[in-house]
Amino acid sequence: MAGRKPQRRREFGTVRRLPSGRWQARYIGPDGQRYTAPETFETRSGAQDWLNLVRADIERNTWLNPDAGAVNFEKYALRWMEERSLAPTTVDRYGGLLRGHILPTFGGKDLDEVTPPAVRTWRAERLKATGATTVAKSYRLLKAIFQTAVDDDLLRTNPCRIKGAGKEEADERPTATVEQVFDLADAMGPRWRLMVLLGAFASLRPEELAELRRHSVDLDECSLRVTHASPELTNGRRVTGDPKSRAGKRTVYLPDFMLPELRRHLQWFAEKEPDGLLFVGEKGAPFRRSTFGRKWRKARTKVGMPGNFRFYDLRHTGNTLAADTGAKLKDLMVRAGQSSGRAQLIYQHSTAKHQRKLAQGIDAEVRQQLGESSAGQRRSREA
């Protein structure tokens, strides 16, 4: 008895020849909808090969609706931000990057219209127009948005594939000497003098300084308790909440030379209520970045500091002085309000005793440097 003839496997999809002589491939997707290949083929076998690849994707459960990526990038990006419960400062920063650097190029396109070459061209043009750090941040945001589109099965792959493009290669920030810090404090005037000193010798962030209150100060311990921060958004609105990270809530012990500065500021400038702000303007208004910024630029010029020296750079002075005392890494992190995922730090602990010792070390170092500077000036005058 002759063997049964093997049954021929049913063809997947259909192939037809167009009047132009080229071949078109069509198929029914898992969703029951008919789809047509995005291009025509020179030969019938070429069209059939394309259908075979589609069929393989369906059998492996890796098939994507070819129309899924037809979503406007701008709408998707804005929804991406809304769905993440981002902090107001992060929303402010991401919104600025989108408006200023991403949407002008990609805002009018669909997700599946953005290709790797288009991303490379966009990045090259941005590098010519603005700083490398801003471009790196913009690229990271763009890549994150597209990665979510991949996770949402809207795209098969992420078009952001430039190695190292999201890495920031920022120039080393300038660091003020102890003498320069005091010169800046003098140039800022009595009302803002303490803010400069705390920015340096307590390593406090501007948004943390803006929310310090009378009850934050412990004169007996010569310390400050940081519990809140009040960053100012680009529209001028302040958003008061927790510090930048969980490590931001901390007690900062101050070097002893700061005690007279604290007492004087509390007596002359701080609001009188127990929960009154430590820093307010001449007319009693809360600290404003714009007003303070004008004073800061004038003081910076007067002292002869570089034009790119920011108030935030004062933290470098404080962190450097603290590190020079020989403190443990964990102590330095606690003082600066920094957090890290390094596993070994879990086994290191910073106590009030360590923090107090660190503050005393800064006090001794500052007094020594000021003494050397004064001695040098005396020798110059005598000569």
Side-chain angles (χ1 to χ4, degrees):
M1 182 176 178
R4 179 181 297 180
K5 185 178 181 179
Q7 187 175 2
R8 184 178 179 182
R9 188 180 186 187
R10 183 179 177 183
E11 292 287 346
F12 171 74
T14 60
V15 174
R16 66 170 181 164
R17 191 168 191 173
L18 300 175
S20 65
R22 295 184 66 83
W23 294 84
Q24 183 186 67
R26 296 185 296 177
Y27 69 97
I28 303 298
D31 56 0
Q33 301 297 314
R34 181 179 294 277
Y35 295 97
T36 302
E39 59 183 345
T40 57
F41 302 89
E42 186 175 346
T43 63
R44 179 185 180 89
S45 61
Q48 192 59 58
D49 288 344
W50 183 86
L51 285 172
N52 291 338
L53 292 174
V54 173
R55 183 172 189 169
D57 286 341
I58 293 174
E59 292 175 348
R60 291 194 301 262
N61 292 322
T62 59
W63 177 84
L64 290 182
N65 184 332
D67 297 329
V71 178
N72 176 258
F73 175 85
E74 181 173 358
K75 292 181 179 179
Y76 187 81
L78 295 177
R79 189 169 74 248
W80 182 90
M81 289 180 58
E82 293 173 356
E83 293 174 347
R84 267 153 184 74
S85 301
L86 301 172
T89 51
T90 304
V91 172
D92 192 53
R93 183 170 67 254
Y94 283 179
L97 293 174
L98 280 172
R99 291 188 301 271
H101 304 282
I102 297 176
L103 294 183
T105 300
F106 301 118
K109 296 182 179 295
D110 286 345
L111 294 174
D112 57 7
E113 292 179 322
V114 180
T115 62
V119 173
R120 287 196 299 271
T121 299
W122 162 80
R123 177 174 177 269
E125 292 175 348
R126 286 288 84 204
L127 286 171
K128 294 177 182 177
T130 189
T133 298
T134 300
V135 176
K137 291 178 179 179
S138 300
Y139 179 86
R140 287 204 305 271
L141 177 57
L142 183 68
K143 185 176 182 179
I145 293 171
F146 274 116
Q147 186 56 49
T148 301
V150 172
D151 296 339
D152 289 344
D153 291 334
L154 301 180
L155 298 174
R156 187 178 296 276
T157 58
N158 192 325
C160 298
R161 306 174 195 173
I162 307 172
K163 292 184 178 180
K167 185 178 180 181
E168 296 180 34
E169 298 288 351
D171 295 334
E172 185 175 349
R173 298 302 307 168
T175 301
T177 66
V178 168
E179 189 173 2
Q180 287 172 328
V181 171
F182 278 97
D183 288 343
L184 284 166
D186 291 340
M188 287 295 293
R191 179 175 292 275
W192 304 109
R193 175 183 175 84
L194 180 64
M195 180 174 276
V196 174
L197 298 179
L198 290 178
F201 303 125
S203 296
L204 293 183
R205 302 178 176 93
E207 61 269 26
E208 295 169 344
L209 289 161
E211 193 55 27
L212 286 178
R213 298 178 180 271
R214 274 187 175 268
H215 58 66
S216 307
V217 181
D218 187 334
L219 291 175
D220 293 332
E221 288 290 325
C222 195
S223 67
L224 296 172
R225 179 61 185 164
V226 180
T227 58
H228 292 84
S230 189
E232 186 175 342
L233 305 182
T234 52
N235 62 6
R237 184 170 67 93
R238 281 206 172 278
V239 182
T240 302
D242 291 334
K244 186 175 182 180
S245 66
R246 187 166 55 181
K249 291 186 176 183
R250 64 201 187 277
T251 296
V252 180
Y253 290 85
L254 306 177
D256 287 341
F257 72 82
M258 292 287 295
L259 187 57
E261 304 280 356
L262 271 177
R263 293 185 187 277
R264 182 166 55 247
H265 187 89
L266 287 170
Q267 181 179 355
W268 291 358
F269 303 114
E271 292 183 328
K272 302 306 179 184
E273 299 81 3
D275 64 342
L277 290 169
L278 214 59
F279 297 104
V280 292
E282 285 80 357
K283 298 180 180 179
F287 163 73
R288 304 295 297 181
R289 184 171 56 190
S290 56
T291 304
F292 184 86
R294 288 192 293 270
K295 295 179 179 295
W296 174 257
R297 288 188 290 273
K298 291 179 180 178
R300 184 178 60 194
T301 300
K302 182 178 180 180
V303 174
M305 298 297 293
N308 65 338
F309 185 79
R310 308 168 304 181
F311 183 88
Y312 201 93
D313 291 330
L314 292 171
R315 278 169 56 89
H316 291 279
T317 299
N319 292 342
T320 301
L321 286 168
D324 288 345
T325 67
K328 295 185 302 183
L329 177 60
K330 183 63 177 180
D331 293 323
L332 299 174
M333 290 171 57
V334 168
R335 183 174 187 82
Q338 298 168 327
S339 57
S340 170
R342 295 184 179 182
Q344 64 266 35
L345 294 181
I346 297 175
Y347 306 102
Q348 298 186 40
H349 303 279
S350 180
T351 65
K353 179 181 178 181
H354 289 144
Q355 290 294 311
R356 188 64 194 153
K357 183 178 180 181
L358 191 153
Q360 291 171 346
I362 294 177
D363 182 78
E365 183 68 21
V366 169
R367 290 179 185 276
Q368 178 183 348
Q369 291 193 29
L370 288 178
E372 292 174 353
S373 176
S374 299
Q377 292 176 0
R378 286 198 302 271
R379 286 194 294 270
S380 298
R381 288 194 296 267
E382 291 172 358

